[in-house]
Amino acid sequence: MSGIDTLPPLRDVIATHGLSARKSLGQNFLLDLNLTSKIARQAGDLEHCDILEIGPGPGGLTRGLLAQGARRVLAIEKDSRCIAALNDIAQAYPNRLQIIEGDALEVNPLAHLTPPIRIAANLPYNVGTELLVRWLTPEEWPPFWDTLTLMFQKEVAERIVAQPGSKAYGRLAILASWRCEAKIALHLPPSAFTPPPKVSSAVVHLQALEKPKFEADAKTLERVVAMAFNQRRKMLRAALKGAAPDIEDRLIAAGIKPTERAEQIPLEGFCALAREIAKP
Ligand code: SAM
């Protein structure tokens, strides 16, 4: 017995199904079900929600989410070796766990989910940032999800919640803070995982806002922020030279000194600049 359900402990699941961790798939498993339940609780009240989980692996977080009362979990896992273990969980929670074997970067989960939808995952490090950026930059806002509760390397988590003036401040912080409230919910040492990774980890919680904090065209803002931080050591008038021929005038019109650098500009400044750049 595991303590949160009647399924076997995760170490037994791993032994039974031969799930030796593969580095190429970013496999660092969470085997402590008290910890996975704690992470699931960070996702809030799950009872009336469908949960999208990426990379369930042997199912530690999946079991935490189901034990916390998730209405349904849709789990997308690339490693075919994990599917039998996940099917055992699906049997223990009838009609509440759907498993898709596939690459989360390729599968469109929307057809299988009913709102309200929350996303929770101990993400594979190799695809984590790409998935986050996709979820933060959909065609339409509000997005299909209400909250994201995601494990990242500590350094990536710090970049998501970073404030202006810090080294970690950049594109991720701006994308996250423009239309979400983002916070670090939990810190985890390497020893929480099997095998332990070289770096510490943190769970980030993002809540989607109904509307952006400041008006701006999404594509223009994304382009300007990417250009500004691509050359973060340069003054903005140089880093953004390609954004508009009269970039100095537009920076001034947005209330930004052309000699400032990207990491000094708060979200509001970037949104003002995106509005100026979008003008004919
Ligand atoms: N959620 C499990 C846990 O907490 O123990 C496993 C987390 S492990 C860090 C990442 C999981 O993502 C692995 O099971 C791995 O096979 C899976 N994975 C890696 N790349 C993936 C992809 N592109 N799409 C879906 N799953 C992927």
Side-chain angles (χ1 to χ4, degrees):
M1 295 264 291
S2 67
I4 65 163
D5 54 35
T6 54
L7 290 155
L10 284 158
R11 282 191 195 283
D12 294 358
V13 172
I14 283 180
T16 307
H17 297 280
L19 302 179
S20 51
R22 288 193 179 149
K23 215 173 171 178
S24 60
L25 286 166
Q27 289 182 335
N28 300 99
F29 300 133
L30 290 167
L31 303 187
D32 177 350
L33 288 158
N34 291 316
L35 182 57
T36 61
S37 292
K38 191 170 171 184
I39 296 167
R41 283 198 294 277
Q42 307 306 317
D45 181 5
L46 307 181
E47 281 193 18
H48 306 292
C49 296
D50 276 12
I51 312 295
L52 171 61
E53 187 193 357
I54 307 300
L61 181 57
T62 320
R63 286 164 66 176
L65 292 163
L66 290 162
Q68 286 304 311
R71 178 176 67 190
R72 279 184 70 251
V73 176
L74 172 67
I76 303 178
E77 173 56 60
K78 193 172 176 182
D79 186 351
S80 58
R81 298 177 307 156
C82 298
I83 303 301
L86 294 166
N87 279 331
D88 291 344
I89 306 174
Q91 280 199 2
Y93 290 93
N95 301 321
R96 289 177 59 201
L97 173 60
Q98 182 181 350
I99 304 144
I100 297 182
E101 183 187 334
D103 184 336
L105 294 170
E106 311 287 335
V107 174
N108 177 2
L110 279 182
H112 308 278
L113 292 164
T114 308
I117 298 162
R118 295 176 184 243
I119 301 179
N122 174 12
L123 286 171
Y125 289 145
N126 44 357
V127 293
T129 310
E130 181 167 350
L131 284 170
L132 174 67
V133 169
R134 283 191 193 185
W135 291 327
L136 290 176
T137 57
E139 288 290 317
E140 296 199 349
W141 198 271
F144 74 90
W145 50 268
D146 292 347
T147 63
L148 307 174
T149 305
L150 306 172
M151 180 91 69
F152 286 101
Q153 284 175 245
K154 182 170 149 257
E155 286 68 23
V156 177
E158 285 169 349
R159 278 164 47 205
I160 296 166
V161 302
Q163 297 297 316
S166 67
K167 270 198 179 146
Y169 183 62
R171 178 169 168 250
L172 278 186
I174 290 170
L175 290 181
S177 64
W178 183 39
R179 299 187 284 197
C180 299
E181 293 301 345
K183 63 170 188 190
I184 292 186
L186 274 181
H187 285 277
L188 282 94
S191 58
F193 301 86
T194 302
K198 290 203 176 71
V199 292
S200 293
S201 301
V203 175
V204 180
H205 182 79
L206 296 107
Q207 167 105 41
L209 300 172
E210 275 299 307
K211 286 194 312 200
K213 289 183 193 147
F214 305 101
E215 205 184 304
D217 170 65
K219 291 279 171 254
T220 312
L221 180 65
E222 284 162 33
R223 190 167 59 90
V224 167
V225 168
M227 283 178 92
F229 284 99
N230 262 347
Q231 305 189 65
R232 59 189 296 144
R233 302 249 151 266
K234 286 199 175 166
M235 291 179 190
L236 284 169
R237 67 176 174 210
L240 294 176
K241 217 157 59 188
D246 52 353
I247 190 64
E248 288 218 28
D249 294 345
R250 292 187 195 239
L251 281 161
I252 292 163
I256 298 170
K257 284 193 208 135
T259 51
E260 284 192 292
R261 290 173 173 77
E263 69 184 35
Q264 298 164 296
I265 309 301
L267 169 68
E268 190 173 2
F270 275 111
C271 292
L273 181 59
R275 291 197 300 274
E276 285 303 323
I277 288 182
K279 284 182 183 167

PDB file of all heavy atoms in Angstrom, residues 208-220:
ATOM      1  N   ALA A 208      -3.697  31.957 -15.159  1.00  0.00           N
ATOM      2  CA  ALA A 208      -3.993  32.816 -16.321  1.00  0.00           C
ATOM      3  C   ALA A 208      -4.947  33.926 -15.914  1.00  0.00           C
ATOM      4  O   ALA A 208      -5.943  33.681 -15.228  1.00  0.00           O
ATOM      5  CB  ALA A 208      -4.615  31.971 -17.431  1.00  0.00           C
ATOM      6  N   LEU A 209      -4.637  35.155 -16.324  1.00  0.00           N
ATOM      7  CA  LEU A 209      -5.537  36.283 -16.083  1.00  0.00           C
ATOM      8  C   LEU A 209      -6.542  36.343 -17.235  1.00  0.00           C
ATOM      9  O   LEU A 209      -6.255  35.868 -18.335  1.00  0.00           O
ATOM     10  CB  LEU A 209      -4.741  37.584 -16.015  1.00  0.00           C
ATOM     11  CG  LEU A 209      -3.676  37.643 -14.915  1.00  0.00           C
ATOM     12  CD1 LEU A 209      -2.814  38.896 -15.081  1.00  0.00           C
ATOM     13  CD2 LEU A 209      -4.325  37.615 -13.540  1.00  0.00           C
ATOM     14  N   GLU A 210      -7.689  36.964 -16.975  1.00  0.00           N
ATOM     15  CA  GLU A 210      -8.687  37.127 -18.039  1.00  0.00           C
ATOM     16  C   GLU A 210      -8.131  37.975 -19.180  1.00  0.00           C
ATOM     17  O   GLU A 210      -8.358  37.703 -20.353  1.00  0.00           O
ATOM     18  CB  GLU A 210      -9.945  37.809 -17.470  1.00  0.00           C
ATOM     19  CG  GLU A 210     -10.929  36.855 -16.824  1.00  0.00           C
ATOM     20  CD  GLU A 210     -11.463  35.827 -17.811  1.00  0.00           C
ATOM     21  OE1 GLU A 210     -11.960  36.213 -18.875  1.00  0.00           O
ATOM     22  OE2 GLU A 210     -11.342  34.611 -17.513  1.00  0.00           O
ATOM     23  N   LYS A 211      -7.399  39.026 -18.778  1.00  0.00           N
ATOM     24  CA  LYS A 211      -6.881  39.989 -19.770  1.00  0.00           C
ATOM     25  C   LYS A 211      -5.426  40.287 -19.451  1.00  0.00           C
ATOM     26  O   LYS A 211      -5.011  40.199 -18.291  1.00  0.00           O
ATOM     27  CB  LYS A 211      -7.656  41.316 -19.649  1.00  0.00           C
ATOM     28  CG  LYS A 211      -9.051  41.261 -20.210  1.00  0.00           C
ATOM     29  CD  LYS A 211      -9.625  42.670 -20.376  1.00  0.00           C
ATOM     30  CE  LYS A 211      -9.424  43.505 -19.127  1.00  0.00           C
ATOM     31  NZ  LYS A 211     -10.250  44.634 -18.943  1.00  0.00           N
ATOM     32  N   PRO A 212      -4.637  40.712 -20.436  1.00  0.00           N
ATOM     33  CA  PRO A 212      -3.255  41.116 -20.150  1.00  0.00           C
ATOM     34  C   PRO A 212      -3.216  42.281 -19.164  1.00  0.00           C
ATOM     35  O   PRO A 212      -4.152  43.071 -19.089  1.00  0.00           O
ATOM     36  CB  PRO A 212      -2.740  41.574 -21.515  1.00  0.00           C
ATOM     37  CG  PRO A 212      -3.667  41.034 -22.518  1.00  0.00           C
ATOM     38  CD  PRO A 212      -4.981  40.827 -21.861  1.00  0.00           C
ATOM     39  N   LYS A 213      -2.112  42.401 -18.441  1.00  0.00           N
ATOM     40  CA  LYS A 213      -1.987  43.513 -17.480  1.00  0.00           C
ATOM     41  C   LYS A 213      -1.888  44.854 -18.205  1.00  0.00           C
ATOM     42  O   LYS A 213      -2.351  45.860 -17.689  1.00  0.00           O
ATOM     43  CB  LYS A 213      -0.770  43.295 -16.597  1.00  0.00           C
ATOM     44  CG  LYS A 213      -0.970  42.159 -15.602  1.00  0.00           C
ATOM     45  CD  LYS A 213       0.209  42.009 -14.682  1.00  0.00           C
ATOM     46  CE  LYS A 213       0.123  40.695 -13.941  1.00  0.00           C
ATOM     47  NZ  LYS A 213       1.407  40.099 -13.656  1.00  0.00           N
ATOM     48  N   PHE A 214      -1.229  44.871 -19.371  1.00  0.00           N
ATOM     49  CA  PHE A 214      -1.121  46.108 -20.160  1.00  0.00           C
ATOM     50  C   PHE A 214      -1.413  45.762 -21.615  1.00  0.00           C
ATOM     51  O   PHE A 214      -1.033  44.694 -22.095  1.00  0.00           O
ATOM     52  CB  PHE A 214       0.298  46.698 -20.056  1.00  0.00           C
ATOM     53  CG  PHE A 214       0.734  46.934 -18.637  1.00  0.00           C
ATOM     54  CD1 PHE A 214       1.591  46.040 -18.006  1.00  0.00           C
ATOM     55  CD2 PHE A 214       0.268  48.037 -17.929  1.00  0.00           C
ATOM     56  CE1 PHE A 214       1.975  46.231 -16.697  1.00  0.00           C
ATOM     57  CE2 PHE A 214       0.659  48.235 -16.615  1.00  0.00           C
ATOM     58  CZ  PHE A 214       1.513  47.332 -15.989  1.00  0.00           C
ATOM     59  N   GLU A 215      -2.043  46.697 -22.294  1.00  0.00           N
ATOM     60  CA  GLU A 215      -2.418  46.458 -23.683  1.00  0.00           C
ATOM     61  C   GLU A 215      -1.174  46.346 -24.578  1.00  0.00           C
ATOM     62  O   GLU A 215      -0.219  47.114 -24.417  1.00  0.00           O
ATOM     63  CB  GLU A 215      -3.265  47.642 -24.147  1.00  0.00           C
ATOM     64  CG  GLU A 215      -4.206  47.323 -25.272  1.00  0.00           C
ATOM     65  CD  GLU A 215      -4.917  48.586 -25.720  1.00  0.00           C
ATOM     66  OE1 GLU A 215      -5.558  49.233 -24.866  1.00  0.00           O
ATOM     67  OE2 GLU A 215      -4.771  48.906 -26.905  1.00  0.00           O
ATOM     68  N   ALA A 216      -1.186  45.409 -25.487  1.00  0.00           N
ATOM     69  CA  ALA A 216      -0.127  45.289 -26.507  1.00  0.00           C
ATOM     70  C   ALA A 216      -0.539  44.182 -27.472  1.00  0.00           C
ATOM     71  O   ALA A 216      -1.289  43.266 -27.089  1.00  0.00           O
ATOM     72  CB  ALA A 216       1.220  44.951 -25.887  1.00  0.00           C
ATOM     73  N   ASP A 217      -0.055  44.286 -28.716  1.00  0.00           N
ATOM     74  CA  ASP A 217      -0.279  43.197 -29.658  1.00  0.00           C
ATOM     75  C   ASP A 217       0.708  42.071 -29.306  1.00  0.00           C
ATOM     76  O   ASP A 217       1.914  42.312 -29.178  1.00  0.00           O
ATOM     77  CB  ASP A 217      -0.031  43.703 -31.091  1.00  0.00           C
ATOM     78  CG  ASP A 217      -0.009  42.541 -32.070  1.00  0.00           C
ATOM     79  OD1 ASP A 217      -1.060  41.905 -32.233  1.00  0.00           O
ATOM     80  OD2 ASP A 217       1.073  42.258 -32.626  1.00  0.00           O
ATOM     81  N   ALA A 218       0.164  40.861 -29.136  1.00  0.00           N
ATOM     82  CA  ALA A 218       0.987  39.751 -28.630  1.00  0.00           C
ATOM     83  C   ALA A 218       2.209  39.491 -29.509  1.00  0.00           C
ATOM     84  O   ALA A 218       3.335  39.359 -29.018  1.00  0.00           O
ATOM     85  CB  ALA A 218       0.135  38.496 -28.506  1.00  0.00           C
ATOM     86  N   LYS A 219       1.982  39.425 -30.830  1.00  0.00           N
ATOM     87  CA  LYS A 219       3.101  39.079 -31.728  1.00  0.00           C
ATOM     88  C   LYS A 219       4.178  40.164 -31.693  1.00  0.00           C
ATOM     89  O   LYS A 219       5.373  39.872 -31.710  1.00  0.00           O
ATOM     90  CB  LYS A 219       2.588  38.904 -33.174  1.00  0.00           C
ATOM     91  CG  LYS A 219       1.719  37.676 -33.341  1.00  0.00           C
ATOM     92  CD  LYS A 219       2.574  36.412 -33.491  1.00  0.00           C
ATOM     93  CE  LYS A 219       1.756  35.148 -33.431  1.00  0.00           C
ATOM     94  NZ  LYS A 219       1.857  34.381 -32.199  1.00  0.00           N
ATOM     95  N   THR A 220       3.740  41.443 -31.658  1.00  0.00           N
ATOM     96  CA  THR A 220       4.716  42.540 -31.628  1.00  0.00           C
ATOM     97  C   THR A 220       5.501  42.494 -30.316  1.00  0.00           C
ATOM     98  O   THR A 220       6.736  42.629 -30.312  1.00  0.00           O
ATOM     99  CB  THR A 220       4.005  43.909 -31.766  1.00  0.00           C
ATOM    100  OG1 THR A 220       3.085  43.833 -32.843  1.00  0.00           O
ATOM    101  CG2 THR A 220       5.000  45.027 -31.997  1.00  0.00           C
TER     102      THR A 220
END
